[in-house]
Each structure stands twice: as C-alpha cells, then as structure tokens.
Amino acid sequence: MDASAGDSVSGGTDARQGSPVPPDAWEQPEMRSALAAREVSAVYRLLRKHGVSQRQIAAMTGQSQSEVSEILKGRQVMAYDVLTRIADGLGVPRGYMGLAYDETTAIRVVGSSDGRQAEEDESVKRRRFLAHAAQVTMGAAVFGSESGTWSSAPARTPAPGRIGTTDVRQVEAATRALRALDYQYGGGFCRDAVVAQLSWGQQMLESTATEAVKQRLFVALADLHSLAGWTSFDTGLMDSARGHFANALDLAKQGDSHPLVANVLYRMGRVYLHNDAPNDALKLFQLGQIAAQESGSELAVAVLCANEAWAYAMMGNEEQATKLLGRSKDEFARADIANAESWVKFFNETDVYAMTGTVHTVLAQKNPEHTKYAIPALTRAVDSYTDDMARSKTFMLSALATNHLLDGDLDHGAKVGSKAIDYAESIKSERVKDRLRPLQVEAERRRNNGDARDLADRLKIFYAA
C-alpha cells in the first residue's frame, strides 16, 4: 500500500502533466534552495509567482486555504509527515527536500512509543488519499506509477478479445442489482459478489473496443469500484475502501465524468466522517464540490453541501452547518432530478430530510435546542423510507430515538430505539452498529428510567451477539 521514496521521485513532475505547477519550477536555483532548506513559506511564495493560486496549493497538499495563508505569512512547517504530504502533493521529488524515507519508515522515525503509531499510520493514509484526490480533481495525470499502488491486481482470467455496448451494460446492470442488495441488507451481504464482479469487469480494460464503448466502460467500472469501496466501508474494511475509491476516482476521471468524481469524493468523505475525522472529510467534500460545480449538476452540489454541513456540525461550527444545510436545500430545489446522472439520483426529498435531521442531531448533542429541528425532519425521513432502504431507515430511527431521549420523551424514545434495533438485527453492517452508539450513550445516561434502562439492556445484548 505504501509508495517508496523511489516511487515518489519517479512519479513526480513527469507524471503530473495536468498540474498547475510549471514543469521546470522545481529546477530553478531559488526554488531548489528553498526546498533544500525546507522553507515551505518560500516555496509557496515562489509558486504564487508562477501563477499557482492558494486554492490550488491547498487542493494539491491537502491543506485548508487558511493553513496555506498562514504558511505564506511565515508559519514554519517542521513535522515530517506534513513535509512529505506537501512534497508528494506538489510533485516535488522527496530528495530535493531531504526526505529520503518511504512512508513506513517515516512513521517509525517520527512515531512515539506511546501507542500512537496506528493513529499516525491512518493519518498518513488519509493524507495520501487526499493528495491523490486533489490530483484527480485539479486535472493532474492519474495513470502514472501511483495508480497501481492502491490495491493488488485482481486475479487474471482470459479477457474477451473485443467488447461492445452489451458487455458494458452487463456491468452496469450487475452494479445496480448489487447496490440494491447493499441498501437493503448491508455491505456484508454482497461485498464478495461486488469484488467478484469487479474482477470480471476489470479485465475488459484489456479488450479492444470503440472509443465510445471504452469511455462508457471507464465510467461503469468506476461506479463498480465505488460500490466496492462503499461495501468495504460498510463492513469495516477501511484500507480496502480507500483503495477502491482511489481506483474509482482514476476511472471516473478517465471517463470524463465530473458527477461521478464528485460522488466518489463524497463517499470517501463519509468514510472519514464515520471515523471522526471531520477536517479531512471536509477537504474531500470541498474537492468534490469543485467537480460537482464543473459538472453543472445542482443535485451533486446539493449532496456535497449537505455533507459539508455534517462535517461542520461535527467540528462544532453551528453557523456554517446551518448555512450549508440551507444552501443544500436551495440547490436541491433547483435541481433537474429527472435528468440527473444515475449515481446522484439517490439524493431525493427523503434524503434532504434525512441529512437535515442528521446534522441537527449532531448539533443537538451539544445544544438540545436542535431537537426541535431534528425530530420533524427525521420523522419525515423514517416515514418515507421503504424496507428496501432498511439500512438508511435504521440510521434515521436511531437518530430519532436519540433526539427523543435528549428531549426528555423517554417512553417514545425507547419505543423508536427498539424499532431501530429490530431493523439492525437483519442487516450485515458494521456501520449500523457504530451509528447506534449515540443512542446507547443516551440510554445508559437515563438508566434510572425503566424504559431507557430496558433500551440500554437490549442494546447491550445486540452488541454482544
């Protein structure tokens, strides 16, 4: 999974033909001097002279624009992992900055002995994915030496000599059917089938076809990789999810599908939200927003705004969260849903209510006043979700029960919570277990009430099963 120092050098400026950085920028004496001294502030100022914007620097390095601005003003960058992220994101050969270690060695060098190595390792992986996402979104070439490092190649079987539209339609149909199974029963029910289908579909890239068929195949396989990433995420396989989403990004870019790029970035952002990394999630959502706006799809923009709101809510920024929720609703109202791309159509009116309720649920855990916004939105979502969306319905029931407990309606909260467990017991999803945790916390806090205690006990049994 980790690229070596040699890989980073060989995958530098030559593999980044779409980069906003001029190819000869790193070879100029002033730049080489700044790189050798690790004067990131000077490097950024020189890039600005080359016409590279703060936004582009931020996107390539996985930093926020405010971080870039602070560095331009003179803030020093000392941390090894930040320096390597900046070098790799910009396409600087690591040796120019004296960064000769690969990422595994870097963790060993800078890691402490207090048990934080696993956390730092995940941090490196998140940043590396963010840098890759920025390269794809900002237009850099993505089929270089880096592309093959995300996951091992699928088992090879003889590829068809030539493929046509019918072959690609079979991939698309299989993806639709498998996605329906994921929604209803969870990723654990169908992930192996998705990966098997991907193994078959991937080999078609070696077949001959017209350009139109090839482009449609890129998009179809990107969507299938995205589903493989989502089902991996749902079963707790984070590295596998990251690898599939990275491949999905590459293929969506090759298929020239901005809406799908936006969708993949949204999904990977959701992975980071789920793992309590809202800052990294927000950066992916913001990159996705660039692709969504380039696609001209108001629906895609609405999806990204809603998820940015969720990230801000987790960060405790109530003002930004509510502002972006409002924008999401406005974009949704303008969207041409009937003609939207298939992978964006999942975001319908029910999902607008669901996201509204979810964001206010996060805010309600710090300010219970938000239950008055969360409860009606979640109730609408629960009433609208059918049993073929059992996982989503479970999420909303759990959030709704949590809000009722926060609001002091313990009897009703316990009834709704019990219904959430009923659904959860039929779904093979690690995410469902994680999303029930806030409900368990609130039920345990109210053990002096019989209904809340019964709910807490039932949740204990559910987790022990």
Side-chain angles (χ1 to χ4, degrees):
M1 289 291 295
D2 290 322
S4 69
D7 290 336
S8 295
V9 171
S10 65
T13 53
D14 289 341
R16 299 174 57 86
Q17 294 149 4
S19 170
V21 181
D24 63 344
W26 311 122
E27 308 304 325
Q28 295 176 8
E30 191 177 2
M31 181 67 85
R32 287 295 292 272
S33 176
L35 291 169
R38 298 185 183 177
E39 292 287 349
V40 179
S41 180
V43 171
Y44 283 7
R45 285 196 296 272
L46 290 169
L47 288 176
R48 294 289 290 115
K49 288 182 181 179
H50 283 294
V52 183
S53 69
Q54 283 192 40
R55 190 190 80 171
Q56 289 171 320
I57 294 172
M60 288 188 291
T61 60
Q63 296 174 301
S64 67
Q65 288 192 51
S66 62
E67 286 175 300
V68 172
S69 178
E70 288 171 13
I71 292 170
L72 281 165
K73 290 174 183 174
R75 194 190 90 188
Q76 286 189 307
V77 179
M78 306 294 291
Y80 184 93
D81 61 334
V82 178
L83 289 168
T84 54
R85 172 163 47 106
I86 289 170
D88 294 346
L90 294 175
V92 180
R94 286 190 180 185
Y96 285 16
M97 296 179 72
L99 305 170
Y101 300 117
D102 62 17
E103 288 168 0
T104 303
T105 309
I107 294 162
R108 198 178 308 127
V109 170
V110 303
S112 61
S113 58
D114 62 0
R116 292 176 56 204
Q117 180 168 327
E119 178 187 342
E120 289 170 346
D121 185 50
E122 174 59 22
S123 175
V124 169
K125 292 173 184 176
R126 285 204 304 267
R127 287 166 177 167
R128 182 164 167 263
F129 183 90
L130 183 61
H132 179 76
Q135 288 177 26
V136 173
T137 310
M138 301 305 290
V142 293
F143 281 126
S145 61
E146 186 78 359
S147 299
T149 66
W150 290 103
S151 59
S152 57
R156 293 290 179 183
T157 53
R162 185 172 181 83
I163 59 170
T165 303
T166 301
D167 298 290
V168 182
R169 281 178 179 162
Q170 289 172 348
V171 175
E172 294 166 343
T175 303
R176 285 193 299 272
L178 290 165
R179 182 167 278 128
L181 290 174
D182 169 60
Y183 281 140
Q184 186 166 1
Y185 301 111
F189 186 84
C190 61
R191 180 185 175 273
D192 288 349
V194 175
V195 173
Q197 181 63 36
L198 192 55
S199 179
W200 166 251
Q202 194 81 13
Q203 68 178 331
M204 293 186 189
L205 291 170
E206 299 178 5
S207 306
T208 59
T210 64
E211 282 305 309
V213 169
K214 276 282 188 185
Q215 185 157 14
R216 185 166 174 177
L217 177 64
F218 288 139
V219 174
L221 290 177
D223 195 27
L224 188 54
H225 264 297
S226 181
L227 179 58
W230 195 247
T231 53
S232 297
F233 164 43
D234 203 47
T235 50
L237 301 172
M238 295 304 155
D239 284 342
S240 178
R242 193 172 2 239
H244 284 298
F245 283 131
N247 287 325
L249 272 182
D250 290 350
L251 288 161
K253 186 70 172 181
Q254 187 78 347
D256 197 29
S257 177
H258 292 298
L260 188 50
V261 168
N263 187 272
V264 173
L265 290 170
Y266 138 73
R267 291 183 183 279
M268 192 62 205
R270 286 287 288 270
V271 173
Y272 290 161
L273 275 190
H274 189 79
N275 285 281
D276 294 320
N279 281 291
D280 289 323
L282 183 60
K283 289 168 186 174
L284 287 176
F285 294 147
Q286 289 169 339
L287 283 173
Q289 195 67 263
I290 294 171
Q293 290 170 3
E294 286 179 356
S295 76
S297 169
E298 290 91 351
L299 194 57
V301 172
V303 171
L304 270 300
C305 285
N307 283 275
E308 287 176 69
W310 192 351
Y312 276 118
M314 288 181 66
M315 293 160 66
N317 192 331
E318 185 175 327
E319 181 181 356
Q320 279 292 92
T322 52
K323 178 182 174 182
L324 279 157
L325 264 185
R327 187 183 166 199
S328 177
K329 292 173 186 175
D330 290 343
E331 295 288 349
F332 179 80
R334 288 195 293 269
D336 181 6
I337 298 173
N339 295 309
E341 300 270 6
S342 60
W343 37 80
V344 192
K345 282 186 176 180
F346 77 91
F347 196 75
N348 54 25
E349 188 176 28
T350 301
D351 283 275
V352 174
Y353 286 118
M355 287 300 297
T356 300
T358 298
V359 171
H360 283 293
T361 298
V362 175
L363 295 172
Q365 288 164 21
K366 292 184 178 179
N367 179 4
E369 283 291 309
H370 283 274
T371 59
K372 66 185 178 185
Y373 304 111
I375 289 173
L378 292 167
T379 301
R380 287 288 297 270
V382 167
D383 290 345
S384 300
Y385 278 130
T386 53
D387 286 347
D388 61 349
M389 296 289 287
R391 184 177 55 205
S392 296
K393 191 166 187 173
T394 306
F395 291 160
M396 295 307 105
L397 284 166
S398 175
L400 181 58
T402 301
N403 277 278
H404 281 301
L405 294 183
L406 287 168
D407 206 36
D409 190 354
L410 305 188
D411 174 58
H412 191 56
K415 287 179 181 176
V416 175
S418 185
K419 192 172 183 181
I421 299 170
D422 290 342
Y423 274 92
E425 287 173 340
S426 66
I427 301 169
K428 293 184 178 180
S429 168
E430 289 301 310
R431 269 199 305 154
V432 165
K433 294 179 181 178
D434 292 338
R435 291 282 286 272
L436 283 167
R437 291 292 182 189
L439 177 60
Q440 184 183 36
V441 169
E442 297 304 329
E444 288 287 351
R445 283 177 180 168
R446 294 160 177 80
R447 269 197 166 271
N448 60 337
N449 174 273
D451 294 319
R453 184 167 55 252
D454 289 345
L455 177 62
D457 289 342
R458 190 173 173 200
L459 281 164
K460 273 190 174 181
I461 294 168
F462 170 74
Y463 283 114

